[in-house]
Amino acid sequence: MTQLAARSVRQRPGRFLGTLLAAFLGAAISMAFNSMHDTAAADGIDDTSAETLSLSGAVVGGYGTLLVFFAIASTLTVNVRQRAAEITLLRQTGATPAQVKRMITGEALLVALLGTVLAVAPAMLGGRLLLDMFQETDQVAPGVEYAFGPIALSAGFGVTLLASVGAAFLAVRRAAKAAAGGRAPRAGLRTVGGVLALLGGVGGVSATWAMDPAEPSLMAAPAYGAIMLSVGFAALSSGLLRTLLRWFGRPIAALTGAGGYLAVHNTRQRAASLAGVLMTLVLFTGITIATVCIQVIESDALEAAGITRTAEDRNVETLNLVVVGIIAAFCCVMLVNSLYAATSYRRQEFGRQRLAGATPRQVLTMVATESALLALIGLFFGTVAGFAGAFAFSQVRAEATMPGEAMLIWLGTAAVAVAVTLLTSLLTARRTLRAPAIQAVAVAA
């Protein structure tokens, strides 16, 4: 099965481009920031510079690990679902579920290894640029030399390879059992994890009111709460999607016509496969809103009090902005990968709809409505999570409801999420519809 995995990657590299890109970005970010640990461990580094470098590596490294797993998991899940016929054929010709798992896990491992190797040079460049930024803002002494060593390499290879293997195993477990004729594993573990994450998020947000407004670590509790709420909503995304469509599906279909009816029906049927897209939207919206709003509130509070920002304050602000940038980049990649794969895979479905009388415009309307539904639902739950943390922090730190910039932050976040979702889905669907309906059905079949 290892040889089969290597041959599969060689023969059909296009199938693995999404996973390769996710592994490449994840490894590059992880190694770039963990190289700050290598730099801080060098001789002659002052305590302030070492603390700044170590803090940036630890904070962004933690975010990076979570995002790498979600990014690779989302692309691998779509990839495995699209290979249901291939997995069924392997099972029918004698392959055991364990062999199928080893093959797909081996593919993921090979692709992740290649992506990590390709990411070494960009990671070194990114780490050097990050050090320059810290030095230009006087957070690190000018004489500190950049170092890229064993900590960066071990973190990059370890995180990416483990995330790839773990995500591949989870993705293929359901597909292999379904191909064997059994029931797919229940999502009980994900549900329990989602509920626990929501409880942790509520606890983190609530703990903010018990803290002193002058406490240096005040930002940690609401930020942690918002992140855990986002993770909880993301883990429960498929169930939430079905529930909301059960409540509001008919009014939406009535307003949007035949294309809207098909969109609501298809979205309910494909809720499990669309969970990765919705998960990405929730995480992007929730974490971005919470992080940026909390930082704006903190900066406004310091300015209102006439307090000069310390090096630590500038370091926290820099990390927050960098984290938001990383999240935005990752989520855009995850969205594009997942939506492109999911939409292009529907070539046969689109062909059947056109043979049954649907026009290309009606198909595009259906895809647009599906994308809008996903974007709105993702924005809703992400907004709830993000503003929950920001509101708690604003109440305690500034004794105010929310900063005036909150609406602008939300609009910017929503614009990015909606634009990426709609553009990727519509452009991919438009490209898929170029083929004649009969040819699309025949090729897919």
Side-chain angles (χ1 to χ4, degrees), residues 50-145:
E51 181 180 0
T52 298
L53 295 170
S54 299
L55 180 62
S56 66
V59 172
V60 181
Y63 276 101
T65 301
L66 179 65
L67 291 171
V68 167
F69 181 82
F70 275 121
I72 295 175
S74 65
T75 56
L76 279 174
T77 299
V78 175
N79 181 287
V80 170
R81 283 197 176 112
Q82 292 177 353
R83 299 170 64 184
E86 177 186 341
I87 294 173
T88 301
L89 180 60
L90 288 172
R91 293 286 292 116
Q92 291 174 346
T93 54
T96 65
Q99 289 175 323
V100 174
K101 289 176 184 178
R102 285 199 298 272
M103 181 192 73
I104 295 181
T105 303
E107 293 172 353
L109 187 62
L110 289 174
V111 173
L113 182 62
L114 176 60
T116 306
V117 171
L118 294 175
V120 172
M124 295 177 67
L125 177 60
R128 188 175 297 277
L129 292 175
L130 184 62
L131 177 62
D132 291 342
M133 181 183 67
F134 283 133
Q135 290 175 330
E136 289 173 0
T137 55
D138 298 325
Q139 299 174 64
V140 174
V144 173
E145 296 291 334

Side-chain angles (χ1 to χ4, degrees), residues 351-378:
R352 288 198 303 265
Q353 290 172 352
R354 292 163 66 191
L355 289 176
T359 65
R361 183 174 181 178
Q362 288 175 322
V363 175
L364 288 175
T365 300
M366 176 192 71
V367 173
T369 306
E370 290 175 359
S371 301
L373 284 173
L374 288 175
L376 289 176
I377 294 172

Side-chain angles (χ1 to χ4, degrees), residues 105-367:
T105 303
E107 293 172 353
L109 187 62
L110 289 174
V111 173
L113 182 62
L114 176 60
T116 306
V117 171
L118 294 175
V120 172
M124 295 177 67
L125 177 60
R128 188 175 297 277
L129 292 175
L130 184 62
L131 177 62
D132 291 342
M133 181 183 67
F134 283 133
Q135 290 175 330
E136 289 173 0
T137 55
D138 298 325
Q139 299 174 64
V140 174
V144 173
E145 296 291 334
Y146 177 67
F148 187 93
I151 299 177
L153 289 171
S154 60
F157 278 87
V159 167
T160 308
L161 297 182
L162 286 175
S164 299
V165 172
F169 179 81
L170 293 176
V172 76
R173 180 170 174 259
R174 178 183 297 270
K177 189 166 184 178
R183 293 183 60 183
R186 295 184 180 272
L189 185 60
R190 176 183 292 184
T191 301
V192 172
V195 172
L196 291 176
L198 289 178
L199 292 175
V202 172
V205 172
S206 301
T208 309
W209 274 279
M211 301 178 69
D212 189 329
E215 178 70 31
S217 61
L218 178 64
M219 298 174 69
Y224 168 82
I227 292 169
M228 293 306 295
L229 286 174
S230 300
V231 171
F233 286 135
L236 301 173
S237 56
S238 60
L240 294 172
L241 180 59
R242 288 193 185 95
T243 301
L244 288 176
L245 290 177
R246 191 179 303 118
W247 292 348
F248 303 108
R250 287 187 178 180
I252 293 171
L255 290 173
T256 51
Y261 172 81
L262 285 173
V264 172
H265 176 75
N266 288 339
T267 305
R268 288 183 63 178
Q269 295 296 318
R270 299 170 57 238
S273 62
L274 292 174
V277 177
L278 192 56
M279 182 184 301
T280 306
L281 286 166
V282 173
L283 290 173
F284 168 65
T285 306
I287 296 176
T288 301
I289 289 176
T291 305
V292 177
C293 281
I294 288 174
Q295 183 56 58
V296 169
I297 295 166
E298 176 66 16
S299 299
D300 290 347
L302 291 175
E303 184 178 349
I307 300 175
T308 303
R309 292 192 302 172
T310 63
E312 183 178 356
D313 294 329
R314 293 195 300 271
N315 188 26
V316 171
E317 181 178 8
T318 301
L319 286 177
N320 283 337
L321 296 177
V322 169
V323 165
V324 170
I326 291 173
I327 291 171
F330 249 100
C331 287
C332 285
V333 171
M334 290 164 65
L335 273 176
V336 171
N337 282 345
S338 299
L339 287 168
Y340 176 81
T343 306
S344 60
Y345 182 65
R346 300 172 67 186
R347 180 187 301 269
Q348 186 180 23
E349 175 192 339
F350 294 162
R352 288 198 303 265
Q353 290 172 352
R354 292 163 66 191
L355 289 176
T359 65
R361 183 174 181 178
Q362 288 175 322
V363 175
L364 288 175
T365 300
M366 176 192 71
V367 173

